[in-house]
């Protein structure tokens, strides 16, 4: 983390140097990271629709106050064009195993890391929201069949582009019925309930930015319209502002994130009056570093992960 400030704020500028800065810290913990049991499952209708699930040790019960099984889903970033649930080209394939291991081994969460469709797989708005929906439905239909998973408290963390897909699922009218299936102020029996959402380093709009990638995913002439802010404003104008009963939302911005992420995060929080939203800044981190710092055993690198786990605990079914 100490080397990050000199790298600047631009995502393209910090990407490779940040990965290089964390590689040895992760490799030093390789045996620990690989000790967490991992399974891979198909969750959708294409070969891309695969997810990894990381299980806590059977003797690692979730910390109070969980009455239901905490299931934590991590949607990584990649600018609509990159990303995989396991980065085979970096640090002995430990990313994003390190995310699964951190929350499973330390907090007793069951962690899901899905691959979702990229532009190279034909992704186009709102396919990211559809993939989030498919993951949630797989958890409700398949994971809930396992012993001990009859009642699930669900938490979604979306990072960067992954955060855009999570907000699409939470806001777009196409997913209203699917959302309502996992929303309730109070638990009245078994099943899956969405309890918390974390949006990490998410650009809720792009200002006047216009490039080939944004046009490819969001649509030509529809970059703002199909951004998270655009969708929210459109629903509000229709008198259909989405609400999330029983759910808390935490927006996280890294201290060294691009200014646009700072600005759009504050604007989005102010705009979405119908949601219970908190906002925090991760000191010392840039756009890439938070997920790489987990499972390094370095307290200041992992502090944000502890903060996220405590947020989830505060959202648990009472």
């Amino acid at each position: 983390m100490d080397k990050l400030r000199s790298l600047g704020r631009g995502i393209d500028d910090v990407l490779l140097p940040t990965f290089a800065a964390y590689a040895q810290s992760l490799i030093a913990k390789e045996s620990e990271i690989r000790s967490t049991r991992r399974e891979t499952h198909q969750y959708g209708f294409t070969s891309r629709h695969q997810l990894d699930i990381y299980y806590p040790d059977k003797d690692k019960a979730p910390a109070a106050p969980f009455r239901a099984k905490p299931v934590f889903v991590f949607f990584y970033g990649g600018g609509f064009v990159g990303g995989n649930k396991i980065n085979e080209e970096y640090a002995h394939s430990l990313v994003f195993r390190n995310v699964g291991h951190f929350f499973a081994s330390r907090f007793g969460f069951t962690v899901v890391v899905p691959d979702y469709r990229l532009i190279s797989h034909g992704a186009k708005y709102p396919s990211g929201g559809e993939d989030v929906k498919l993951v949630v439905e797989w958890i409700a239909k398949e994971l809930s069949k396992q012993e001990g998973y009859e009642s699930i408290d669900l938490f979604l963390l979306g990072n960067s582009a992954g955060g855009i897909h999570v907000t699409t699922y939470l806001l777009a009218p196409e997913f209203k019925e699917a959302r309502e299936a996992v929303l309730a102020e109070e638990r009245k029996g078994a099943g899956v309930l969405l309890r918390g959402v974390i949006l990490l380093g998410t650009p809720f709009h792009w200002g006047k930015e216009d490039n080939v990638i944004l046009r490819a995913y969001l649509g030509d002439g529809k970059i703002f319209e199909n951004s998270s802010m655009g969708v929210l404003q459109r629903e509000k104008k229709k008198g259909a502002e989405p609400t999330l009963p029983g759910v808390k939302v935490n927006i996280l911005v890294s201290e060294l994130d691009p200014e646009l992420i700072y600005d759009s995060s504050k604007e989005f929080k102010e705009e979405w009056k119908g949601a219970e939203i908190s906002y925090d800044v991760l000191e010392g981190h840039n756009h890439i570093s938070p997920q790489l710092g987990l499972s390094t055993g370095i307290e200041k690198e992992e502090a944000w992960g502890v903060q996220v786990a405590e947020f989830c605990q505060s959202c648990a079914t009472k």
Side-chain angles (χ1 to χ4, degrees):
M1 181 185 291
D2 296 336
K3 302 176 182 178
L4 300 181
R5 200 170 299 277
S6 64
L7 302 179
R9 293 178 178 272
I11 295 173
D12 290 342
D13 295 332
V14 307
L15 179 62
L16 293 180
T18 303
F19 270 89
Y22 283 84
Q24 291 307 313
S25 295
L26 287 167
I27 290 170
K29 298 291 185 178
E30 180 169 5
S31 61
E32 294 178 26
I33 292 170
R34 290 184 179 276
S35 69
T36 295
R37 180 164 70 95
R38 176 176 69 102
E39 295 178 353
T40 300
H41 296 270
Q42 179 91 14
Y43 75 89
F45 52 87
T46 75
S47 59
R48 178 65 176 176
H49 288 113
Q50 303 272 330
L51 60 80
D52 285 344
I53 182 164
Y54 296 84
Y55 293 95
D57 289 340
K58 291 184 178 179
D59 60 355
K60 180 66 177 179
F66 288 105
R67 289 172 44 214
K69 186 78 77 173
V71 174
F72 183 90
V73 189
F74 176 78
F75 293 92
Y76 52 74
F80 306 124
V81 297
N84 288 289
K85 57 188 176 60
I86 298 290
N87 186 333
E88 301 287 357
E89 299 177 354
Y90 171 74
H92 296 188
S93 305
L94 296 176
V95 176
F96 294 102
R97 294 176 191 263
N98 66 313
V99 175
H101 171 72
F102 179 81
F103 288 105
S105 65
R106 286 193 59 171
F107 300 100
F109 294 2
T110 301
V111 182
V112 177
V113 183
D115 277 337
Y116 54 82
R117 286 169 289 174
L118 307 174
I119 288 173
S120 61
H121 308 110
K124 193 172 185 64
Y125 178 88
S127 67
E130 182 180 17
D131 290 348
V132 175
K133 177 181 80 77
L134 290 171
V135 171
V136 173
E137 289 178 343
W138 182 88
I139 290 168
K141 294 175 183 177
E142 300 299 330
L143 183 58
S144 65
K145 293 178 182 177
Q146 296 190 27
E147 183 179 356
Y149 289 86
E150 297 83 3
S151 295
I152 290 173
D153 277 356
L154 181 64
F155 305 93
L156 306 179
L157 190 158
N159 175 217
S160 197
I164 295 165
H165 297 329
V166 170
T167 55
T168 299
Y169 169 74
L170 297 176
L171 296 171
E174 294 93 326
F175 309 114
K176 184 174 186 291
E177 184 177 350
R179 289 194 300 270
E180 290 177 347
V182 294
L183 290 174
E185 193 69 49
E186 297 180 357
R187 179 175 293 280
K188 297 181 179 178
V192 176
L193 281 184
L194 180 61
R195 300 282 84 179
V197 174
I198 303 96
L199 301 170
L200 169 63
T202 300
F204 296 98
H205 67 75
W206 289 268
K208 296 181 180 180
E209 178 72 20
D210 186 343
N211 61 53
V212 64
I213 293 173
L214 294 179
R215 290 196 298 272
Y217 181 72
L218 296 163
D220 198 1
K222 295 186 176 182
I223 292 172
F224 182 81
E225 178 182 336
N226 288 332
S227 70
S228 302
M229 181 68 87
V231 175
L232 175 57
Q233 291 182 348
R234 184 165 68 245
E235 291 304 292
K236 289 181 69 173
K237 286 179 181 177
K238 290 161 48 179
E241 180 178 2
T243 59
L244 303 175
V247 178
K248 297 178 183 178
V249 179
N250 185 211
I251 294 175
L252 297 178
V253 176
S254 292
E255 181 185 357
L256 303 175
D257 256 327
E259 290 294 338
L260 176 63
I261 291 180
Y262 267 96
D263 294 342
S264 71
S265 295
K266 292 176 181 177
E267 292 164 7
F268 185 77
K269 179 180 183 296
E270 181 64 24
E271 187 74 26
W272 197 2
K273 304 291 189 184
E276 182 179 348
I277 302 178
S278 56
Y279 172 93
D280 294 292
V281 176
L282 306 184
E283 183 177 355
H285 279 290
N286 66 22
H287 192 71
I288 307 300
S289 63
Q291 58 268 36
L292 300 181
L294 297 181
S295 295
T296 59
I298 302 170
E299 183 177 1
K300 65 181 179 180
E301 300 286 358
E302 296 181 331
W304 80 274
V306 175
Q307 177 181 329
V308 164
E310 291 173 348
F311 169 79
C312 294
Q313 291 165 354
S314 76
C315 302
T317 296
K318 301 297 188 286

